Amino acid sequence: MKILEDRIRKDGVVKAGNVLKVDSFLNHQMDIQLYDEMGKEWKRLFEGVPVTKILTIEASGIGMACIAALHFHVPVVFAKKSQSVNIDGDVYSTKIESFTHKRVYDVIVSKKYLGPEDHILIIDDFLANGKALEGLIRIIEESGAVLEGIGIAIEKGFQAGGKLIREKGIRLESLAIIDSMDEKNGIVFR
Ligand code: 5GP
């Protein structure tokens, strides 16, 4: 998606450890006009797909999932990072290893908001090694819902996640795919 690529080129900052900072328009300050264009694009790409709910993960996916949801006319559920263990059995839970924080945390989704009747589109900001998506997919599988597809803002194509997800036969639409990013060549898109 050209406007997203242009914006990443203009305002993205490449950090050590294969981390791209997009805090000025996506992850901290949020450009809602851009989010709206992204939502429109996902809607175009997933046209005709019977989505009943958008699922994302706390925290940085929530904003873009909400704006996308305006185009799909469906609710958003976000997987919550949780400190407490599931004792009542009223939540789906899984462990996810964080790419940016290098630690494992528990995420939960209430059984009230996800079930076999749902057709899910996952939306998230970044795809790196795919750990966040794998966690969300485990939760969807446990719930009996149907995973219809995944929309990602920025896929780092030089990391393993994209291949892993596509090999599962899951429809994955990334709005910008970065093939390499370094000081010498800058950010190169696919
Ligand atoms: P994965 O689970 O695919 O390894 O990493 C995806 C998650 O890590 C995303 O939800 C995102 O929050 C974070 N992440 C991964 N790579 C980057 C990056 O380059 N920049 C930023 N800002 N977040 C990232």
Side-chain angles (χ1 to χ4, degrees), residues 18-20 27 60 99-100 124-126 128-132 156:
N18 284 331
V19 172
L20 175 67
N27 276 161
S60 49
F99 178 80
T100 37
D124 202 9
D125 59 345
F126 272 94
N129 292 318
K131 301 292 180 196
K156 291 184 291 179

Side-chain angles (χ1 to χ4, degrees), residues 12-78:
V13 181
V14 179
K15 296 281 188 186
N18 284 331
V19 172
L20 175 67
K21 281 285 211 182
V22 286
D23 279 7
S24 65
F25 61 101
L26 217 70
N27 276 161
H28 191 19
Q29 174 167 258
M30 297 179 283
D31 182 335
I32 301 303
Q33 239 66 59
L34 177 63
Y35 273 25
D36 193 39
E37 293 301 323
M38 289 160 53
K40 233 183 266 173
E41 181 63 3
W42 279 317
K43 178 65 187 163
R44 190 185 68 79
L45 291 164
F46 288 103
E47 193 59 64
V49 177
V51 175
T52 62
K53 246 169 225 185
I54 289 177
L55 179 68
T56 187
I57 183 162
E58 197 176 16
S60 49
I62 297 175
M64 64 187 68
C66 289
I67 304 297
L70 287 172
H71 294 277
F72 285 86
H73 303 284
V74 296
V76 174
V77 176
F78 64 94

Side-chain angles (χ1 to χ4, degrees), residues 33 72 95-96 153 167 186:
Q33 239 66 59
F72 285 86
K95 289 188 186 304
I96 290 179
E167 277 175 0

